């Protein structure tokens, strides 16, 4: 978790707003209002996707998912994680109620794409997903959600319903001035290749995942 308190979060501003039609491989389609920002503390190119009647929802605790970029899962459909199915699920659920998907450029829990693939190699040798990061000399989870809070506050979304299984996301956003009115878990997207990965998240970092046998 980051070290800033909410009073220390610098203000960000909206830079660009563009409309992007979306279509997923299963045929689901919707339209997003994609927003970019100036002043984000980490200097990365994070995006906010306004979905459904998002502008009216902002005044009444919109549904929000902070989604960490996962090239292997989001783009290539990797079965080693649940990122792609979570992204697909989140877009439809948020579009149905009005809210925001924050697409955060923090691949591999913040360690980057190459390091994530290095961690995969260590997992193939027997380490779990957290042990592998530590074996590389990195933190178990290096993600910091200061920029996510900046984006929400720049849009006036200081109260949200959080679509996430990860308690650290809620804790960090609250520390940075975003009130979590409700925590809503995503579905459990199991595959033979990600069962251990999901089970470790549930047992090691208290993700709200209802996995058979745990």
């Amino acid at each position: 978790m980051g070290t800033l308190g909410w009073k220390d979060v610098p203000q960000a501003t909206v830079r660009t707003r563009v409309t992007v039609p979306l279509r997923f491989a299963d045929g689901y389609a919707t339209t997003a209002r994609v927003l970019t920002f100036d002043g984000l503390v980490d200097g990365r190119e994070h995006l906010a996707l306004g979905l459904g009647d998002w502008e009216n929802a902002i005044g009444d605790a919109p549904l929000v998912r902070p989604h960490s970029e996962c090239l292997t899962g989001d783009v290539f459909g990797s079965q080693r994680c649940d990122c792609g199915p979570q992204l697909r699920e989140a877009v439809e659920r948020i579009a149905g109620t009005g809210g925001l998907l924050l697409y955060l450029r923090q691949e591999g829990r913040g360690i980057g794409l190459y390091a994530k693939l290095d961690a995969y190699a260590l997992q193939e040798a027997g380490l779990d997903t957290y042990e592998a990061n530590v074996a590389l000399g990195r933190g178990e989870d290096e993600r910091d959600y200061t920029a996510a809070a900046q984006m929400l506050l720049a849009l006036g979304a200081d109260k949200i319903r959080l679509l996430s299984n990860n308690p650290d996301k809620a804790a960090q956003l609250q520390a940075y001035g975003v009130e979590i009115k409700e925590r809503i878990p995503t579905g459990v997207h199991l595959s033979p290749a990600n069962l251990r990965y999901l089970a470790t998240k549930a047992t090691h970092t208290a993700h709200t995942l209802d996995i058979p046998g745990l």
Side-chain angles (χ1 to χ4, degrees):
M1 180 171 171
T3 58
L4 292 175
W6 72 269
K7 292 182 180 178
D8 302 312
V9 175
Q11 183 175 1
T13 56
V14 176
R15 176 178 178 272
T16 308
R17 300 171 184 246
V18 296
T19 299
V20 178
L22 306 179
R23 185 177 180 85
F24 289 81
D26 63 0
Y28 173 75
T30 189
T31 300
R33 190 69 168 162
V34 180
L35 300 100
T36 66
F37 297 84
D38 286 320
L40 298 179
V41 293
D42 58 10
R44 295 179 179 175
E45 294 182 327
H46 306 298
L47 303 174
L49 277 66
L51 296 162
D53 192 10
W54 66 277
E55 289 179 292
N56 285 328
I58 279 179
D60 187 29
L63 186 61
V64 173
R65 174 160 178 77
H67 183 89
S68 297
E69 177 182 43
C70 176
L71 179 70
T72 51
D74 296 342
V75 177
F76 297 119
S78 169
Q79 296 289 290
R80 294 189 65 138
C81 63
D82 58 344
C83 301
Q86 281 189 323
L87 177 63
R88 166 65 181 83
E89 173 195 357
V91 168
E92 184 170 4
R93 290 179 69 175
I94 295 170
T97 65
L100 299 160
L101 185 137
L102 307 183
Y103 197 79
L104 305 174
R105 312 300 299 278
Q106 44 191 18
E107 180 83 47
R109 297 200 188 99
I111 68 174
L113 178 59
Y114 274 22
K116 181 179 83 170
L117 295 174
D118 291 340
Y120 277 179
L122 292 175
Q123 290 169 44
E124 290 176 354
L127 300 185
D128 71 32
T129 180
Y130 298 105
E131 293 168 343
N133 279 19
V134 172
L136 292 172
R138 308 299 296 262
E140 288 187 346
D141 189 337
E142 296 187 1
R143 290 174 294 181
D144 185 290
Y145 295 99
T146 309
Q150 287 183 287
M151 295 159 75
L152 292 170
L153 296 174
L155 294 171
D158 58 349
K159 298 179 179 64
I160 68 170
R161 294 178 297 127
L162 180 65
L163 181 61
S164 175
N165 302 320
N166 186 350
D168 187 48
K169 290 181 182 179
Q172 287 203 43
L173 289 174
Q174 289 198 134
Y176 300 146
V178 178
E179 182 181 352
I180 309 301
K181 301 293 287 186
E182 184 181 4
R183 276 186 59 196
I184 302 169
T186 70
V188 179
H189 303 284
L190 280 173
S191 75
N194 72 19
L195 176 58
R196 186 187 182 202
Y197 165 80
L198 294 181
T200 303
K201 290 204 296 185
T203 58
H204 189 71
T205 47
H207 282 57
T208 50
L209 291 163
D210 185 10
I211 298 174
L214 286 186

Coordinates of all heavy atoms in Angstrom, one line a residue, residues 168-211:
D168 N -7.2 -4.7 -0.7 CA -6.2 -3.7 -0.7 C -6.7 -2.5 -1.5 O -6.4 -1.3 -1.2 CB -4.9 -4.2 -1.2 CG -3.8 -3.2 -1.0 OD1 -3.6 -2.6 0.0 OD2 -3.0 -3.0 -2.0
K169 N -7.4 -2.8 -2.6 CA -7.9 -1.7 -3.4 C -8.8 -0.8 -2.6 O -8.7 0.4 -2.7 CB -8.6 -2.2 -4.7 CG -7.8 -2.9 -5.7 CD -8.6 -3.3 -6.9 CE -7.7 -4.0 -7.9 NZ -8.5 -4.5 -9.1
A170 N -9.7 -1.4 -1.9 CA -10.6 -0.6 -1.0 C -9.9 0.2 0.0 O -10.2 1.4 0.2 CB -11.7 -1.6 -0.4
A171 N -8.9 -0.5 0.7 CA -8.2 0.2 1.7 C -7.4 1.4 1.2 O -7.4 2.5 1.8 CB -7.2 -0.8 2.4
Q172 N -6.7 1.2 0.1 CA -6.0 2.3 -0.5 C -6.8 3.5 -1.0 O -6.6 4.6 -0.7 CB -5.1 1.8 -1.6 CG -3.9 1.0 -1.2 CD -2.8 1.0 -2.3 OE1 -2.5 2.0 -2.8 NE2 -2.2 -0.2 -2.5
L173 N -7.9 3.2 -1.7 CA -8.8 4.2 -2.2 C -9.4 5.0 -1.0 O -9.5 6.2 -1.1 CB -9.9 3.6 -3.1 CG -9.4 3.1 -4.4 CD1 -10.5 2.4 -5.2 CD2 -8.8 4.2 -5.3
Q174 N -9.8 4.3 0.0 CA -10.3 5.0 1.2 C -9.3 5.9 1.8 O -9.6 7.0 2.3 CB -10.9 4.0 2.2 CG -12.2 3.4 1.7 CD -13.0 2.8 2.8 OE1 -14.2 2.9 2.9 NE2 -12.3 2.0 3.7
A175 N -8.0 5.4 1.9 CA -7.0 6.2 2.5 C -6.7 7.5 1.7 O -6.3 8.5 2.2 CB -5.7 5.4 2.6
Y176 N -7.0 7.4 0.4 CA -6.7 8.6 -0.5 C -8.0 9.4 -0.7 O -8.0 10.2 -1.7 CB -6.2 8.1 -1.8 CG -4.8 7.4 -1.6 CD1 -4.5 6.3 -2.5 CD2 -3.9 7.7 -0.7 CE1 -3.3 5.6 -2.4 CE2 -2.7 7.0 -0.5 CZ -2.4 6.0 -1.4 OH -1.2 5.3 -1.2
G177 N -9.0 9.2 0.1 CA -10.2 10.2 0.0 C -11.4 9.7 -0.8 O -12.3 10.5 -1.0
V178 N -11.4 8.5 -1.2 CA -12.6 7.9 -1.9 C -13.4 7.0 -1.0 O -12.8 6.0 -0.5 CB -12.1 7.1 -3.2 CG1 -13.4 6.6 -3.9 CG2 -11.3 8.0 -4.1
E179 N -14.6 7.4 -0.7 CA -15.4 6.6 0.2 C -16.0 5.4 -0.5 O -16.6 5.5 -1.6 CB -16.6 7.4 0.7 CG -17.5 6.7 1.7 CD -18.6 7.5 2.3 OE1 -18.6 8.8 2.0 OE2 -19.5 7.0 2.9
I180 N -15.8 4.2 0.1 CA -16.3 3.0 -0.5 C -17.7 2.7 0.1 O -17.8 2.3 1.3 CB -15.4 1.8 -0.3 CG1 -13.9 2.1 -0.7 CG2 -15.9 0.6 -1.0 CD1 -13.8 2.5 -2.2
K181 N -18.7 3.0 -0.6 CA -20.1 2.7 -0.1 C -20.5 1.3 0.0 O -21.2 0.8 0.8 CB -21.1 3.5 -0.9 CG -20.9 5.0 -1.0 CD -21.1 5.7 0.3 CE -22.6 5.8 0.7 NZ -22.8 6.5 1.9
E182 N -19.9 0.5 -1.0 CA -20.2 -0.9 -1.0 C -19.1 -1.6 -1.8 O -18.5 -1.1 -2.7 CB -21.5 -1.1 -1.8 CG -22.0 -2.6 -1.8 CD -23.3 -2.7 -2.6 OE1 -23.8 -1.7 -3.2 OE2 -23.8 -3.9 -2.7
R183 N -18.7 -2.8 -1.3 CA -17.8 -3.7 -2.1 C -18.5 -4.8 -2.7 O -19.3 -5.5 -2.1 CB -16.7 -4.2 -1.1 CG -15.5 -3.3 -0.8 CD -14.5 -4.0 0.0 NE -14.0 -5.2 -0.7 CZ -13.3 -6.2 -0.1 NH1 -13.0 -6.1 1.2 NH2 -12.9 -7.2 -0.8
I184 N -18.4 -4.9 -4.0 CA -19.1 -5.9 -4.8 C -18.1 -6.8 -5.5 O -17.2 -6.4 -6.2 CB -19.9 -5.2 -5.9 CG1 -20.9 -4.2 -5.2 CG2 -20.7 -6.3 -6.7 CD1 -21.6 -3.3 -6.2
P185 N -18.1 -8.1 -5.2 CA -17.1 -9.0 -5.8 C -17.4 -9.3 -7.3 O -18.6 -9.2 -7.7 CB -17.2 -10.3 -5.0 CG -18.6 -10.3 -4.4 CD -19.0 -8.8 -4.2
T186 N -16.4 -9.6 -8.0 CA -16.6 -10.0 -9.4 C -16.9 -11.5 -9.3 O -16.8 -12.2 -8.3 CB -15.3 -9.8 -10.3 OG1 -14.3 -10.7 -9.8 CG2 -14.8 -8.4 -10.2
G187 N -17.3 -12.1 -10.5 CA -17.5 -13.5 -10.5 C -16.1 -14.3 -10.4 O -15.0 -13.7 -10.4
V188 N -16.2 -15.6 -10.2 CA -15.0 -16.4 -10.1 C -14.9 -17.1 -11.4 O -15.7 -17.9 -11.8 CB -15.2 -17.4 -8.9 CG1 -14.0 -18.3 -8.9 CG2 -15.4 -16.7 -7.6
H189 N -13.8 -16.8 -12.1 CA -13.5 -17.3 -13.4 C -12.4 -18.3 -13.4 O -11.3 -18.1 -13.6 CB -13.2 -16.1 -14.4 CG -14.2 -15.0 -14.4 ND1 -15.4 -15.2 -15.1 CD2 -14.2 -13.8 -13.8 CE1 -16.1 -14.1 -15.0 NE2 -15.4 -13.2 -14.2
L190 N -12.8 -19.6 -13.0 CA -11.9 -20.7 -12.9 C -11.5 -21.3 -14.2 O -12.4 -21.5 -15.1 CB -12.5 -21.7 -11.9 CG -12.4 -21.5 -10.4 CD1 -13.2 -22.5 -9.7 CD2 -11.0 -21.4 -9.9
S191 N -10.3 -21.7 -14.3 CA -9.8 -22.6 -15.4 C -8.8 -23.6 -14.7 O -8.3 -23.3 -13.7 CB -9.2 -21.8 -16.5 OG -7.9 -21.4 -16.1
P192 N -8.6 -24.7 -15.4 CA -7.5 -25.6 -14.8 C -6.2 -25.0 -14.6 O -5.4 -25.3 -13.7 CB -7.5 -26.7 -15.9 CG -8.8 -26.7 -16.5 CD -9.2 -25.3 -16.6
A193 N -5.9 -24.0 -15.5 CA -4.6 -23.3 -15.4 C -4.5 -22.2 -14.3 O -3.4 -21.8 -14.0 CB -4.2 -22.7 -16.8
N194 N -5.6 -21.7 -13.8 CA -5.5 -20.6 -12.9 C -6.1 -21.0 -11.5 O -6.1 -20.2 -10.6 CB -6.3 -19.4 -13.4 CG -7.8 -19.5 -13.4 OD1 -8.4 -20.3 -12.7 ND2 -8.4 -18.6 -14.1
L195 N -6.4 -22.3 -11.2 CA -7.0 -22.7 -10.0 C -6.0 -22.3 -8.8 O -6.4 -21.8 -7.8 CB -7.3 -24.2 -10.0 CG -7.8 -24.7 -8.6 CD1 -9.0 -24.0 -8.1 CD2 -8.1 -26.2 -8.8
R196 N -4.7 -22.7 -8.9 CA -3.8 -22.4 -7.8 C -3.6 -20.9 -7.7 O -3.5 -20.4 -6.5 CB -2.4 -23.1 -8.1 CG -1.5 -22.9 -7.0 CD -0.1 -23.4 -7.3 NE 0.8 -23.3 -6.1 CZ 2.1 -23.2 -6.2 NH1 2.7 -23.3 -7.4 NH2 2.8 -23.1 -5.1
Y197 N -3.5 -20.2 -8.8 CA -3.4 -18.7 -8.7 C -4.5 -18.1 -7.9 O -4.3 -17.3 -7.0 CB -3.3 -18.2 -10.1 CG -3.5 -16.7 -10.3 CD1 -2.5 -15.8 -10.1 CD2 -4.8 -16.2 -10.8 CE1 -2.7 -14.5 -10.3 CE2 -4.9 -14.9 -11.0 CZ -3.9 -14.0 -10.8 OH -4.1 -12.7 -11.0
L198 N -5.8 -18.5 -8.2 CA -6.9 -17.9 -7.6 C -7.0 -18.4 -6.1 O -7.3 -17.6 -5.2 CB -8.2 -18.3 -8.3 CG -8.4 -17.7 -9.7 CD1 -9.7 -18.1 -10.3 CD2 -8.3 -16.2 -9.7
A199 N -6.7 -19.6 -5.9 CA -6.7 -20.1 -4.5 C -5.7 -19.4 -3.6 O -6.0 -19.1 -2.4 CB -6.5 -21.6 -4.5
T200 N -4.5 -19.1 -4.2 CA -3.5 -18.4 -3.4 C -4.0 -16.9 -3.1 O -3.7 -16.4 -2.0 CB -2.2 -18.4 -4.2 OG1 -1.8 -19.7 -4.5 CG2 -1.1 -17.7 -3.4
K201 N -4.6 -16.3 -4.1 CA -5.2 -15.0 -3.8 C -6.2 -15.0 -2.6 O -6.2 -14.1 -1.8 CB -5.8 -14.3 -5.0 CG -4.8 -14.0 -6.1 CD -5.3 -12.9 -7.0 CE -6.5 -13.3 -7.8 NZ -6.8 -12.2 -8.8
A202 N -7.0 -16.0 -2.6 CA -8.0 -16.1 -1.6 C -7.4 -16.4 -0.2 O -7.8 -15.8 0.8 CB -9.0 -17.2 -1.9
T203 N -6.4 -17.3 -0.1 CA -5.9 -17.7 1.2 C -4.8 -16.7 1.6 O -4.6 -16.5 2.8 CB -5.3 -19.1 1.1 OG1 -4.3 -19.2 0.1 CG2 -6.4 -20.1 0.8
H204 N -4.0 -16.1 0.7 CA -2.9 -15.3 1.1 C -3.2 -13.8 1.3 O -2.7 -13.2 2.2 CB -1.8 -15.5 0.1 CG -0.5 -14.8 0.5 ND1 0.3 -15.4 1.5 CD2 0.2 -13.7 0.1 CE1 1.4 -14.6 1.7 NE2 1.3 -13.6 0.8
T205 N -4.1 -13.3 0.5 CA -4.4 -11.9 0.6 C -5.9 -11.6 0.7 O -6.4 -10.5 0.4 CB -3.9 -11.1 -0.7 OG1 -4.2 -11.8 -1.9 CG2 -2.4 -11.0 -0.6
A206 N -6.7 -12.6 1.1 CA -8.1 -12.4 1.5 C -9.0 -11.9 0.4 O -9.9 -11.2 0.7 CB -8.2 -11.6 2.8
H207 N -8.6 -12.2 -0.8 CA -9.6 -11.9 -1.9 C -10.9 -12.6 -1.7 O -10.9 -13.8 -1.3 CB -9.0 -12.3 -3.3 CG -7.9 -11.4 -3.8 ND1 -6.8 -11.0 -3.1 CD2 -7.9 -10.7 -5.0 CE1 -6.1 -10.2 -3.8 NE2 -6.7 -10.0 -4.9
T208 N -12.0 -11.9 -2.0 CA -13.3 -12.5 -1.9 C -13.6 -13.4 -3.0 O -14.3 -13.0 -4.0 CB -14.4 -11.4 -1.7 OG1 -14.2 -10.5 -2.8 CG2 -14.2 -10.7 -0.4
L209 N -13.1 -14.6 -3.0 CA -13.3 -15.6 -4.1 C -13.8 -16.9 -3.4 O -13.2 -17.5 -2.5 CB -11.9 -15.9 -4.7 CG -11.3 -14.8 -5.6 CD1 -9.8 -15.0 -5.8 CD2 -12.1 -14.6 -6.9
D210 N -15.0 -17.3 -3.9 CA -15.6 -18.5 -3.4 C -15.1 -19.7 -4.3 O -15.8 -20.0 -5.3 CB -17.1 -18.4 -3.4 CG -17.8 -19.6 -2.8 OD1 -17.1 -20.4 -2.2 OD2 -19.1 -19.7 -2.9
I211 N -14.1 -20.4 -3.9 CA -13.5 -21.4 -4.7 C -13.8 -22.8 -4.0 O -13.6 -23.0 -2.9 CB -12.0 -21.2 -4.7 CG1 -11.7 -19.9 -5.4 CG2 -11.3 -22.4 -5.5 CD1 -10.2 -19.5 -5.5

